[in-house]
Amino acid sequence: MKLNRRTFMGTAAAASVSAPSVYAGGHGKPRVVVVGGGAGGATAARYIAKDSKGAIDVTLVEPTRTYYTCFFSNLYLGGFKEIDDIGHSYGKLAALGVNVVHDWAIGVDRSDKTVSLAGGATLSYDKLILSPGIDFVDGAVEGWDLSTQNAMPHAYKAGSQTELLKAQIAAMPQGGVFAMVAPPNPYRCPPGPYERISMVAHYLKNNNPTAKIIVADPKPKFSKMALFQEGWATHYSGMVDWIGSEFGGGNVSVDPGAMTVSIDGEDIKVDACNVIPAMKAGRIADLAGVTDGNWAPVNAADMSTKADGDVYVLGDASQQGDMPKSGFSANSQAKVCANAVRGALTGSKVFPAKFSNTCWSLISTNNGVKVGATYEATAEKIAKVDGFISATGESAELRQATYEESEGWYAGITSDMFG
Amino acid sequence: MRFIYFAFLVFITDAAISGTESDTTDVADFEVSKEILAIIGDPEYGEYLAGDCTGCHQADGSYDGIPSITGWDIESFVWAMQSYKQKVREHPVMQMMAGRLSDEEIAALAAYFETLE
């Protein structure tokens, strides 16, 4: 088996942003390799395999055998879900004909059109779809790096980190302090940190009612801010202290050994601390040479990268325009991409790109809110067309209906991703 | 008769799902023009557009909090989507999603979803 770990040395030679032409290779069926089995990658693999009906070889590279969705992981922290409720396997994708490889992609050679895996294998592709999610920017929070993630978990890739954070919250002494260091824009799931605060507050209210929550935030405002602040005042009165950038929330360092957080010069002893650092595209996008800064710029019509027309980037890792980084967005982008990739490889009809997103958040029991929008592809970016957001002061009935709708969405998107 | 029954279902669904105050008289009286109902949808385009639906509505017709939209007859599907598009029927997500679809695209979706069991 060929092992090719050459580092890609430039972008100009391989740059191609021409309109897709029908594949005319001489090595049997066209091959698509998808890296990353989350909302973008699993959906893209499933749709290409399903709709091409065996005409395209689809390989999905994903290290984990059970994928825990980041969306709804906050509900696990709040006690509304078990960890198994948000875990999914790839068995149905395999049954559909997707070649599921549980390994790490560690390199991309765009001139040879190959992906190298940590296990030693090399995969050839005609079209490569990268959906690696996020990694963290080195040095983003003074005192924190990945070696300290067990003392101060990020819990922003769901699974063991989420379980660890929950255990640390449960172990807080009565009247203890939970701190969150919130991320700067742009980051995965804009309402996510604030839904998490709501869910931690819900847990503490029931189990540790004199505990306090401190949020150090480098931003002056955040997604669904009025809705969350209304909910915190109503349900968790006196518990949540949100410190925005105007009050020094961005001037933060942590000491994971001493379990202290310094906010604008004031040292605070904490009992549990969730550090969510600044984010960037998952590393394989960088290794493939398709990033510009922290993210991978893409063409809105099909999610192909600006750097290479045969390499696509979906979801959080992409820099596409107006869509928030969310599982819903990645799922939506994946279906546009799958249609375009299939068209390029088999000549099937390619339809115009349409995108949409909705993000639901749970504030307290049966108290759900949502924000959403539709988007279209322009020459410059994915551009917002129309949108809506829940209102403050809504009835309990409407909030409950919104929460129940979010449960329906979770069932819908996970069956759309994993079959 | 089917429309009357369907309008009743719509009322129940709206109350259960969106929790908003639908004006049931308006919904019950809502009619789709013959010209719109006469549009023959392209099921292949509908299958592509359905990607915007199946992120929430399950393609196998399961219900877990969001209604099933599979196996509807074309007229009922078009009627429901037009009632959102024309903002007669309440629901912020559905008004947004239907609002950007052309009459031809709604017909295409109806043609596709009718084929799903």
Side-chain angles (χ1 to χ4, degrees), chain A residues 112-381:
Chain A
D112 270 3
K113 299 182 92 167
T114 57
V115 178
S116 51
L117 306 182
T122 299
L123 302 171
S124 295
Y125 67 83
D126 297 298
K127 296 284 189 184
L128 173 63
I129 299 173
L130 302 176
S131 191
I134 52 105
D135 273 320
F136 301 111
V137 174
D138 292 339
V141 176
E142 188 185 334
W144 191 94
D145 61 34
L146 283 178
S147 72
T148 63
Q149 68 173 358
N150 282 6
M152 293 187 172
H154 54 78
Y156 233 65
K157 298 179 186 184
S160 58
Q161 274 277 301
T162 324
E163 291 182 282
L164 181 62
L165 182 62
K166 184 167 186 177
Q168 292 176 355
I169 294 165
M172 284 170 55
Q174 289 297 309
V177 175
F178 172 89
M180 172 189 280
V181 178
N185 291 320
Y187 61 95
R188 158 181 284 182
C189 189
Y194 312 98
E195 181 188 56
R196 176 170 293 177
I197 290 301
S198 307
M199 292 294 93
V200 172
H202 173 81
Y203 175 87
L204 292 174
K205 184 180 175 184
N206 290 327
N207 296 280
N208 190 348
T210 55
K212 297 288 180 202
I213 295 173
I214 298 170
V215 188
D217 204 325
K219 307 181 291 298
K221 59 182 182 172
F222 56 83
S223 174
K224 301 177 184 165
M225 185 169 179
L227 296 166
F228 282 115
Q229 291 192 326
E230 176 193 54
W232 296 344
T234 305
H235 300 282
Y236 315 117
S237 178
M239 186 178 265
V240 181
D241 185 10
W242 178 78
I243 303 167
S245 59
E246 290 157 354
F247 299 95
N251 182 16
V252 171
S253 64
V254 298
D255 184 338
M259 284 303 284
T260 57
V261 177
S262 172
I263 304 173
D264 209 22
E266 183 188 351
D267 287 336
I268 301 164
K269 184 89 178 78
V270 298
D271 299 291
C273 186
N274 177 206
V275 176
I276 310 175
M279 297 174 202
K280 60 182 181 180
R283 186 153 183 265
I284 193 67
D286 207 20
L287 292 173
V290 296
T291 52
D292 181 7
N294 286 338
W295 310 102
V298 295
N299 298 299
D302 61 0
M303 304 302 290
S304 62
T305 57
K306 301 277 189 190
D308 187 332
D310 288 327
V311 179
Y312 301 72
V313 174
L314 303 177
D316 297 345
S318 67
Q319 180 184 306
Q320 35 68 24
D322 294 348
M323 294 185 85
K325 298 183 185 299
S326 74
F328 198 124
S329 292
N331 171 262
S332 176
Q333 293 160 9
K335 287 177 269 196
V336 168
C337 174
N339 179 253
V341 164
R342 194 163 60 88
L345 295 177
T346 69
S348 64
K349 214 181 271 183
V350 177
F351 297 105
K354 278 181 190 286
F355 305 93
S356 58
N357 176 65
T358 301
C359 289
W360 288 265
S361 303
L362 188 61
I363 294 175
S364 60
T365 306
N366 286 327
N367 183 3
V369 293
K370 60 186 172 183
V371 61
T374 53
Y375 304 86
E376 65 185 6
T378 67
E380 293 77 33
K381 64 174 183 174

Side-chain angles (χ1 to χ4, degrees), chain A residues 397-398 400-402 404, chain B residues 8-22 24 84 89-91:
Chain A
E397 291 74 23
L398 178 53
Q400 179 166 350
T402 301
E404 288 167 2
Chain B
F8 175 72
L9 279 182
V10 165
F11 170 57
I12 298 297
T13 304
D14 276 348
I17 302 305
S18 76
T20 51
E21 298 289 322
S22 280
T24 52
Y84 287 126
R89 189 174 167 191
E90 296 286 340
H91 193 279

